[in-house]
Amino acid sequence: DKVKVAEAFNRATEDNDVMMVMVLMQVGGAEVCAPEGIPLGLVAAFSASEAMACIQYQSLEDTASHVADAWTEFLGLPQPSNPEERWEHWKLMKASGKLRPGETPQGEVVLNNTSCPLKTQVSLSQGMISKLHVDFEMFSVEVFAAFRIKSAVVHLTAKQNRFLDFLPGVLSSTASFDLQGNRIGADGAGSLAGALKENKTLQRIFLQANGIEDAGANSLAGALKENKTLQRIFLQANGIGAAGADSLAGALEVNKALQQIYLGGNRIGGAGADSLAKALKVNKTLQQVDLHENGIEDAGANSLAEALKENKTLQQIYLGANGIGAAGADS
């Protein structure tokens, strides 16, 4: 009975009852498959957001629905004068393939504990959100992991590491991932590295001030040897020393995608600078390197100077606050 299914669906969506949404989608014949680690109910709800709207509209042949009114506005359909007219509008939009939120992109969206996940998913799947801010203190990591993000730039704030359990899902569709100032440590960096090895969309990752140290840098270096899309990586203030710099240098010798690497505020010293210099002699994609405040001194400056004689692609290098004296400047 379409009317009874729709009425139950109204209550389930209004109450954010994800499990009931799942059951009703099964009743409606929706095919769902749950990616590993993501609750089936969330996948059912998000995979069938258009089907949900369809059920709502079908119910209008016999009864009015406040939820269907909301969907009419959200999907950008003309406001009808009666249920029959609404149903005709729906069929025309569905047939023309123009089912989507309003014509104007929503632009920047902040997700918190009052955000509607189902509406957000429709906007994301249709590419109507350009920038998405997510705070896992205010928004469920499970729900976020189930989102299918088409093109939005995601800025993530996390003060706890539960999101690591949902990798690589939370990285699978994002272009920019901001985790600066958290506490992921070397273990978290290792988890991220595993996801980066198979990721094909991420272009920028911000990992400043996360305490990843040499072990975390080593893990990320392993990922950079395989990743083919990341263009910028921000690793400032992470306690990375010469060993970590040496690992990253090894990755830079083979990586052909990275354009910018930021290592300011670490402690790579002259030895770390020497390792990076060797990589710069063969790297052909890096355009910007930030090494400020790393204690590289004259020895490190000399190594970098020799690399710059051979490198033909680097455009900017930051060397402030490194104890470089006259000899280093001369080099």
Side-chain angles (χ1 to χ4, degrees), residues 112-246:
N112 53 41
N113 55 2
T114 64
S115 301
C116 176
L118 295 176
K119 287 189 177 183
T120 301
Q121 172 54 54
V122 174
S123 293
L124 287 169
S125 66
Q126 299 293 325
M128 303 301 289
I129 295 177
S130 61
K131 185 179 293 185
L132 190 66
H133 294 268
V134 187
D135 184 347
F136 284 160
E137 298 295 303
M138 302 288 288
F139 191 82
S140 168
V141 61
E142 291 90 347
V143 173
F144 176 79
F147 280 154
R148 299 188 313 281
I149 302 172
K150 184 177 181 180
S151 58
V153 175
V154 175
H155 290 273
L156 173 67
T157 300
K159 297 304 179 186
Q160 40 79 19
N161 292 340
R162 285 192 60 244
F163 76 91
L164 293 171
D165 296 332
F166 294 89
L167 291 172
V170 295
L171 291 182
S172 62
S173 302
T174 60
S176 177
F177 204 64
D178 189 344
L179 282 168
Q180 61 180 307
N182 289 290
R183 304 187 298 267
I184 70 169
D187 290 341
S191 298
L192 281 172
L196 285 173
K197 287 181 179 180
E198 56 187 272
N199 183 273
K200 297 179 181 180
T201 61
L202 199 66
Q203 298 176 14
R204 300 177 297 279
I205 188 163
F206 300 81
L207 296 173
Q208 302 98 308
N210 266 290
I212 70 171
E213 300 185 336
D214 287 343
N218 182 64
S219 297
L220 291 170
L224 290 176
K225 289 180 179 179
E226 300 184 30
N227 183 279
K228 295 177 174 59
T229 56
L230 195 69
Q231 298 175 7
R232 304 177 192 175
I233 186 166
F234 296 78
L235 296 171
Q236 300 99 311
N238 267 298
I240 298 172
D246 186 62

Side-chain angles (χ1 to χ4, degrees), residues 1-2 9 26 32-33 45 50 59 62 87 91 101 108 121 132 149 162 172 202 223 239 242 271 282 297 304 315 326:
D1 187 316
K2 292 180 180 178
F9 221 107
Q26 297 288 354
V32 296
C33 55
E50 287 189 11
S59 73
D62 302 297
W87 175 235
K91 288 192 292 185
E108 194 165 338
Q121 172 54 54
L132 190 66
I149 302 172
R162 285 192 60 244
S172 62
L202 199 66
V282 297
E297 301 183 335
L304 292 169
Q315 298 176 11

